[in-house]
Amino acid sequence: QVPQPGSDGWVNFAPTSLETLIDSPLFASKNFKRIELDPPGTPQPVALNLVADEAAWLEASPAQIDAHRRLVQQSDKLFGARHWRQYDFLLAQSETFGNIGLEHHESSENGVRPNYFKDWDKSIRSRELLPHEYVHSWNGKFRRPSDLWTPQYNVPMRNSLLWVYEGMTQYWGHVLATRSGLTTPEQARDRLAEVAAYLDARAGRLWRNLQDTTNEGTIAARREKSWRDWQRGAEYYDEATLLWLDADTLIREKSGGTKTLDDFARAFFGIATRRNADGGIQAATYPFDELVQTLNGVQPHDWATFLRQRLDRTGAGAPLDGLQRGGWKLAWAASESEFARNAEGRGGTGGRERTANFDYSLGLRVLPDGRLEQVLWDSPAYKAGLAPGLTLVAVNMSVYKSDRLAEAIKANVEGKAPIQLLLREGETFRQVSIDWRGGLRYPRLERVEGSADRLSAIQSPR
């Protein structure tokens, strides 16, 4: 139950263990609204707790609230059990509050920009946040990889199964966002196209495998990198999304559609609740072998080899077999998808000018002030000597604008107008010419003709 203020205005909480206290965040604001997401009287209820800089930002339409209620319902159908006393989403909408997304067993603390409800069609990426953190209550907090569990807080965790802890959570978070109606199937496909494209272009795949990226939090603490596609980062989130899509579609194919990864979720995460002495939830840990054993119980296959091949291999190209088996393939369009146009950061761009994305043409991302945020390794821009931190001053001797660079790229499709760029580095200017003839390229998913549409089946509500 939610503690209520006493006659003196103070809220008194019951004694609890240090472990439960540390895992129980609190948001406070004069602008607050609590929305119950379960019917009255539901055991182990779930609620959405909203705080905001402005009271008006708390207002949500019935359809928006219904989507959050369906998230709870679809998660129940997926996992088959609840392992908490009550669960509270904490969601802050703020110009100054951090864009946090952090899992806890009986809550999650989340911060987005102020347009979460107001600009519903544009805050696409932010609507994936709550499903992800909610899934963590099952995957990570209750069921936890053995080497991510420690007996006390001064013992370091190890990360070998982060591709399950975070990667499978990322997969189910995207699926549940679509099943609940927080995102549309089209938005989900555009999101998946973005993931597939940037991972397929990752030059760092030549030397660094997916398993090694689970060390990222230990060795780099997710610091920004100048050559992130060569160095790679915490890619156990998104690349493992493709891994689990591969597993899901393979189970569906081998079982003739009678079994799915949903069956694994219920068997693996729906086990009996374990409690500590204070009533809090005790983590149920697992090693790699138990994961493999449960997969084999759903659909016999050499899952150990399946997983290790995808975790340990190096070489060009992302693992796109699951996408193909799902009935779709990575394709290219001359314009950005709706998801890409509205998905910068959590909550969209909030009216700010966007970073210009030319990843799959010149191999550039350009900040609004002209600074090169990213140059893809071995891309046309890289081969022309460009690097992150340079400032793009002019395109074809006219002041840089993102639209002007886009037009220059389109104009050189037949190779008759190589793109002239003027760049500044400190007090030095230099001009380069790039003869890229592929035009503008942005990722899309395209149906594989004559194939079963397993992806749409995965995303359909239960």
Side-chain angles (χ1 to χ4, degrees):
Q1 299 299 318
V2 180
Q4 299 299 316
S7 58
D8 58 359
W10 286 89
V11 174
N12 294 309
F13 293 87
T16 191
S17 68
L18 176 63
E19 183 178 5
T20 300
L21 177 65
I22 289 175
D23 202 40
S24 304
L26 184 149
F27 282 6
S29 173
K30 66 178 181 180
N31 301 312
F32 170 77
K33 177 181 284 190
R34 180 178 174 86
I35 301 169
E36 301 294 338
L37 298 180
D38 278 316
T42 299
Q44 303 163 279
V46 182
L48 176 62
N49 299 273
L50 305 172
V51 299
D53 293 348
E54 304 288 343
W57 299 348
L58 302 175
E59 298 306 316
S61 71
Q64 291 168 340
I65 298 304
D66 283 346
H68 291 83
R69 290 197 171 105
R70 288 194 297 271
L71 169 60
V72 175
Q73 296 160 7
Q74 290 295 320
S75 299
D76 285 343
K77 292 178 180 180
L78 176 61
F79 297 115
R82 296 184 179 187
H83 304 287
W84 56 78
R85 293 163 291 189
Q86 66 182 49
Y87 188 95
D88 287 286
F89 289 105
L90 308 181
L91 179 60
Q93 297 180 76
S94 176
E95 294 280 11
T96 56
F97 197 89
N99 277 358
I100 190 172
L102 185 60
E103 66 272 16
H104 301 278
H105 196 107
E106 298 183 302
S107 63
S108 61
E109 48 185 318
N110 312 282
V112 296
R113 292 172 181 158
N115 54 355
Y116 182 78
F117 293 119
K118 179 183 176 183
D119 294 333
W120 186 253
D121 291 336
K122 295 182 179 180
S123 58
I124 299 169
R125 195 180 297 274
S126 67
R127 298 205 302 279
E128 300 173 333
L129 177 61
L130 297 189
H132 179 99
E133 304 306 341
Y134 191 44
V135 169
H136 265 314
S137 186
W138 288 273
N139 184 17
K141 304 306 289 186
F142 174 57
R143 298 246 51 194
R144 192 175 309 172
S146 299
D147 62 3
L148 275 167
W149 180 89
T150 60
Q152 53 198 27
Y153 289 108
N154 62 348
V155 177
M157 293 186 294
R158 292 166 294 156
N159 303 331
S160 67
L161 292 176
L162 273 179
W163 51 273
V164 187
Y165 183 112
E166 293 291 2
M168 183 179 280
T169 296
Q170 190 85 328
Y171 177 73
W172 286 128
H174 291 166
V175 169
L176 288 170
T178 312
R179 289 182 183 178
S180 64
L182 285 166
T183 58
T184 67
E186 181 182 10
Q187 290 165 347
R189 289 193 298 270
D190 288 342
R191 172 73 163 108
L192 194 55
E194 180 188 75
V195 169
Y198 92 76
L199 287 170
D200 200 48
R202 261 332 193 220
R205 304 180 61 82
L206 296 173
W207 71 273
R208 190 177 189 189
N209 62 33
L210 173 60
Q211 181 66 72
D212 189 64
T213 70
T214 64
N215 297 311
E216 189 68 15
T218 303
I219 65 177
R222 299 187 188 179
R223 294 185 183 92
E224 276 299 307
K225 299 178 177 183
S226 296
W227 299 101
R228 68 185 77 162
D229 64 315
W230 175 251
Q231 295 168 281
R232 303 196 75 180
E235 292 176 4
Y236 48 83
Y237 282 86
D238 283 336
E239 185 165 336
T241 299
L242 298 178
L243 182 156
W244 291 113
L245 175 63
D246 197 353
D248 200 346
T249 57
L250 183 60
I251 291 171
R252 290 165 185 264
E253 180 182 68
K254 291 179 71 69
S255 70
T258 63
K259 298 291 183 179
T260 73
L261 199 63
D262 292 47
D263 297 294
F264 166 86
R266 282 188 292 276
F268 197 73
F269 299 109
I271 64 175
T273 303
R274 307 177 184 188
R275 294 192 180 276
N276 297 317
D278 70 337
I281 311 303
Q282 181 181 354
T285 60
Y286 63 90
F288 176 84
D289 289 346
E290 185 181 345
L291 186 80
V292 170
Q293 181 181 5
T294 308
L295 284 166
N296 272 313
V298 173
Q299 175 59 52
H301 186 64
D302 186 359
W303 289 107
T305 298
F306 173 94
L307 293 170
R308 292 264 48 108
Q309 286 176 340
R310 287 152 181 79
L311 292 166
D312 299 335
R313 73 173 282 268
T314 55
L320 302 182
D321 289 351
L323 195 60
Q324 185 83 12
R325 199 182 297 111
W328 297 79
K329 63 181 179 180
L330 180 62
W332 303 97
S335 60
E336 288 185 288
S337 67
E338 179 192 8
F339 176 88
R341 288 194 301 272
N342 295 312
E344 185 173 293
R346 289 185 185 146
T349 62
R352 295 180 298 278
E353 188 179 351
R354 300 173 55 239
T355 299
N357 183 348
F358 301 102
D359 279 355
Y360 307 110
S361 52
L362 298 186
L364 286 175
R365 286 202 182 192
V366 190
L367 294 167
D369 63 3
R371 283 181 296 127
L372 303 188
E373 179 190 45
Q374 178 173 301
V375 176
L376 268 64
W377 194 270
D378 211 29
S379 66
Y382 174 93
K383 292 174 181 177
L386 276 60
L390 297 178
T391 298
L392 179 52
V393 177
V395 178
N396 294 338
M397 301 311 293
S398 295
V399 172
Y400 165 74
K401 294 180 180 178
S402 59
D403 290 347
R404 189 164 282 157
L405 180 54
E407 290 302 318
I409 292 172
K410 290 189 287 185
N412 192 48
V413 169
E414 296 181 359
K416 297 179 181 179
I419 303 152
Q420 305 293 330
L421 304 179
L422 180 65
L423 298 124
R424 178 177 177 176
E425 183 176 13
E427 297 183 357
T428 302
F429 291 83
R430 60 189 171 100
Q431 190 168 5
V432 301
S433 178
I434 302 178
D435 189 17
W436 164 256
R437 304 184 186 188
L440 294 170
R441 297 173 82 238
Y442 298 99
R444 290 284 205 284
L445 291 191
E446 184 177 286
R447 278 285 284 130
V448 177
E449 187 175 350
S451 65
D453 187 0
R454 296 188 178 97
L455 179 60
S456 293
I458 289 169
Q459 295 171 340
S460 298
R462 301 307 184 244

